[in-house]
Amino acid sequence: RSTQRVPACQIRENTMAGVALACVLGPVAYSLGSPTAASARRGAPAMQYSLNNYPLPGPLSPVYNQALVKLSRSDETTTGGLFLAAEEKEKPREGVVVEAGPGRVHPDTGATLPTAVKSGDLVLLGEFAGEKVDYNGASHQFVSDDGILGTFKGGVVQADTFCPLRDRLLVRLAEAQSETSSGIALATGDDEAATQGEVVAAGPGRMTSAGEVVPVGISAGEHVLFGKYAGADVSLPGGKFKVVHASDCLAKW
């Protein structure tokens, strides 16, 4: 049987063509990757950010001492257990810090005053504090750390886990007396605000313009008297409470 021989020059031409084809297709195959990897990339869409229904190119970053707080549901009882009276829409509420700014620079001293909260903190907001926004389809609020009353350790809403910020105090309000020590009945109105009670927790202190902390001169376990319109009312398990500044207190014992 006769065998047709391929000329050596044709073998060299075919070999060179194969090498050239491999050089062209190699980078293409590398960039595409395996079918499984390509499918995984297609199945992981990028996070979409929005502010008040306007699309954003990326996440928000609070500036200065601002904090972005995701609010709990503002119904009669929040998810953490704080009671919100139906007729009082602006009572303090709870939420989780999404992002916090680095702090602010004091205009006189140039000292940086760091923000008192961080991402992940469960916080209690003061009355009328901050600016509400819709962020990524959920209710949030921008608020300076001056408008935050305190944080809850471990994310548990209890009086004994509450940590007041700056020079604030958490005070368990004393019940109004119905009669004097000699038995004389006292007329008390339901709208009479309590102005004294026992300090449950005290903050670390006020921050000076130089960034130094001045300790609070009042300790947990002491009783205080404060102004009638001072502080913010807070309902927590175990009684009625008020968060007041130490500077609002008139006396202690």
Side-chain angles (χ1 to χ4, degrees):
R1 186 179 58 180
S2 62
T3 302
Q4 183 178 3
R5 300 184 62 182
V6 179
C9 60
Q10 184 175 349
I11 295 176
R12 286 195 298 270
E13 290 177 359
N14 292 342
T15 302
M16 295 300 296
V19 171
L21 182 61
C23 292
V24 172
L25 295 180
V28 175
Y30 177 80
S31 63
L32 292 177
S34 66
T36 303
S39 299
R41 285 194 295 269
R42 289 195 298 268
M47 174 67 180
Q48 300 295 320
Y49 297 93
S50 64
L51 176 64
N52 296 331
N53 295 325
Y54 287 94
L56 298 176
L60 289 173
S61 297
V63 298
Y64 307 118
N65 63 333
Q66 292 289 321
L68 177 61
V69 179
K70 184 176 183 179
L71 299 175
S72 300
R73 292 169 49 194
S74 58
D75 49 18
E76 187 175 2
T77 305
T78 67
T79 56
L82 295 178
F83 176 77
L84 300 177
E87 70 277 5
E88 295 175 337
K89 300 299 184 182
E90 296 298 335
K91 281 291 185 182
R93 71 197 73 186
E94 61 177 339
V96 176
V97 177
V98 177
E99 291 290 343
R104 64 185 181 90
V105 176
H106 196 278
D108 296 331
T109 64
T112 299
L113 311 181
T115 305
V117 296
K118 64 183 184 303
S119 298
D121 283 346
L122 177 62
V123 298
L124 184 62
L125 305 182
E127 296 177 275
F128 312 108
E131 182 74 19
K132 283 186 178 181
V133 296
D134 184 286
Y135 182 52
N136 297 338
S139 182
H140 289 67
Q141 192 154 321
F142 275 105
V143 58
S144 71
D145 59 357
D146 293 331
I148 299 176
L149 305 182
T151 64
F152 292 99
K153 290 185 296 185
V156 179
V157 179
Q158 296 286 345
D160 57 0
T161 64
F162 185 74
C163 301
L165 295 188
R166 308 297 191 201
D167 67 332
R168 290 182 173 90
L169 309 171
L170 177 64
V171 180
R172 179 182 284 107
L173 300 178
E175 295 183 3
Q177 297 295 321
S178 59
E179 60 181 32
T180 65
S181 57
S182 59
I184 300 176
L186 297 174
T188 57
D190 293 337
D191 58 348
E192 189 69 20
T195 57
Q196 66 183 49
E198 179 185 359
V199 177
V200 177
R206 180 180 58 86
M207 184 170 290
T208 68
S209 59
E212 300 175 350
V213 176
V214 179
V216 176
I218 303 172
S219 303
E222 294 184 313
H223 290 73
V224 292
L225 175 70
F226 47 84
K228 181 177 181 180
Y229 300 105
D233 293 315
V234 179
S235 292
L236 294 170
K240 294 183 178 180
F241 298 85
K242 204 163 198 177
V243 177
V244 300
H245 287 281
S247 57
D248 292 330
C249 295
L250 309 176
K252 69 174 185 176
W253 61 95

